[in-house]
Amino acid sequence: MESKKRRGILERLNAGEVVVGDGGYVLQLERRGYVKAGHWTPEAAVEHPEAVRQLHREFLRAGANVIQTFTFYCSEDKLDISGNVTNITGAQINEAACDLAREVANEGDALVAGCVSKTPCYVKSHSEPEVKAIYKKQMDDFLRKDIDFFIVEFVDHVEEAVWAVEVLKTSGKPVGATLCISPHGDMRGVPPGECAVRLVKAGADIVGINCHLDPLTCVRTVKLMKAGLEKAGLKAHLMIQPLGFHTPECNLGGYTSLPEYPFALETRAMTRWDMHKYAREAYNAGIRYIGGCCGFEPYHIRAIAEEMATERGFLPPASEKHGLWGAALEMHTKPWVRARSRREYWENLLPASGRPKCPSMGTPGDDYEKQLESNIPT
């Protein structure tokens, strides 16, 4: 099936369809041994395409309608700062990532989103021409591969996101813009509602939140964005791709300020049943593009797709190997396990950590805020 024959992202959202996004890549590939923590750069698209391709496939099988290019932190200034890429250019990574995403998207009815993220240049120089030139270079790479639409992601200053949107809109492609901010606003205190207004006025077709905080916190933030748009008399589709971890501390810097980041987050991992609740909350809030970011594994995306099965009219291929709400446990030999083959059990379960001295919450540090204040590139 050729991508040009597929309905685009705006056609689907305008029709009221639920679009399921994919999940997180850098954390998953770091855990699998293909990404270096701290650097978080995506050279694996060139060095280990089989690993990236496999993760794309798992998200597609789980029910994703969109395959994002694995191009997080792929601006040349970030690659230079990381020091991890000495013989691979950003253009080479972008090209390889687009090819991988398109190859897998063509295996189903999925679209390819070309993704750009925040640049160290913004915090370092705060130069609009320099920042826009970086986004323009990435955009040109993606346009040569004819991606379906753009996503601006992982930006914590709305001003930078606006600059990115203004550049990407010159492509003629639809643009989604997701900020990694809390309900308190961006890193300069711009409220979520005002952030949404600025993004839409810049030309964003889809606005929302990604990463940094847990799903229900991100739903709260998107609701504030929606209210801001309504007050301003503006319209845009809403999108959400949060963390796959519990972060009830809800601090401004997000999960990077937690003591467990990035190597001890397993105790905060959300279950598939948490994802059912998240998907329903997001849908009830009027959000129709529902996906995930760091911490989201394919089974989490499958849970979203299963919760939205009635609205979408189908189950994903991965559900062939999963009994809804534990139904497959009816075949278990042990009666106490068979008793768990029902929705009520899993909806009311309070999972234990198994760690006798494990606190229910951590004490977030303020290193992230200090880093921004000192103008050190992140």
Side-chain angles (χ1 to χ4, degrees), residues 115-290:
C115 297
V116 300
S117 49
K118 65 180 180 179
T119 67
C121 177
Y122 175 81
V123 175
K124 184 178 181 179
S125 71
H126 201 68
S127 167
E128 181 176 351
E130 289 182 26
V131 171
K132 283 189 169 181
I134 291 171
Y135 286 124
K136 172 68 163 57
K137 187 174 183 179
Q138 292 176 281
M139 179 186 74
D140 290 342
D141 291 341
F142 289 126
L143 290 178
R144 281 191 288 271
K145 290 295 181 179
D146 195 30
I147 51 89
D148 295 304
F149 69 103
F150 285 100
I151 295 177
V152 179
E153 63 174 359
F154 203 73
V155 183
D156 46 20
H157 291 83
V158 68
E159 182 179 55
E160 183 181 10
V162 164
W163 292 351
V165 170
E166 288 173 346
V167 171
L168 298 179
K169 280 299 288 186
T170 65
S171 70
K173 302 274 188 181
V175 176
T178 54
L179 302 172
C180 54
I181 65 173
S182 76
H184 303 296
D186 80 346
M187 295 306 293
R188 289 202 176 92
V190 180
E194 185 178 341
C195 286
V197 169
R198 291 188 188 182
L199 291 170
V200 171
K201 286 184 176 180
D205 304 287
I206 310 165
V207 297
I209 296 297
N210 83 293
C211 208
H212 263 209
L213 291 162
D214 63 64
L216 297 186
T217 300
C218 289
V219 169
R220 286 172 51 201
T221 310
V222 176
K223 285 181 178 179
L224 293 172
M225 297 178 86
K226 179 182 180 183
L229 291 175
E230 291 174 348
K231 184 177 180 180
L234 299 172
K235 291 184 178 181
H237 295 291
L238 302 175
M239 175 178 178
I240 185 168
Q241 299 208 115
L243 286 181
F245 304 110
H246 292 278
T247 61
E249 294 87 339
C250 196
N251 57 89
L252 184 61
Y255 81 137
T256 61
S257 297
L258 294 175
E260 298 91 345
Y261 174 85
F263 299 127
L265 290 163
E266 286 84 354
T267 57
R268 291 177 175 268
M270 301 190 73
T271 70
R272 65 193 70 192
W273 316 118
D274 292 326
M275 295 304 176
H276 277 268
K277 180 178 180 180
Y278 149 58
R280 186 53 55 188
E281 290 286 336
Y283 183 85
N284 289 342
I287 304 169
R288 292 297 178 265
Y289 189 134
I290 306 172

Side-chain angles (χ1 to χ4, degrees), residues 83-88:
N84 199 40
V85 182
T86 58
N87 59 349
I88 304 173

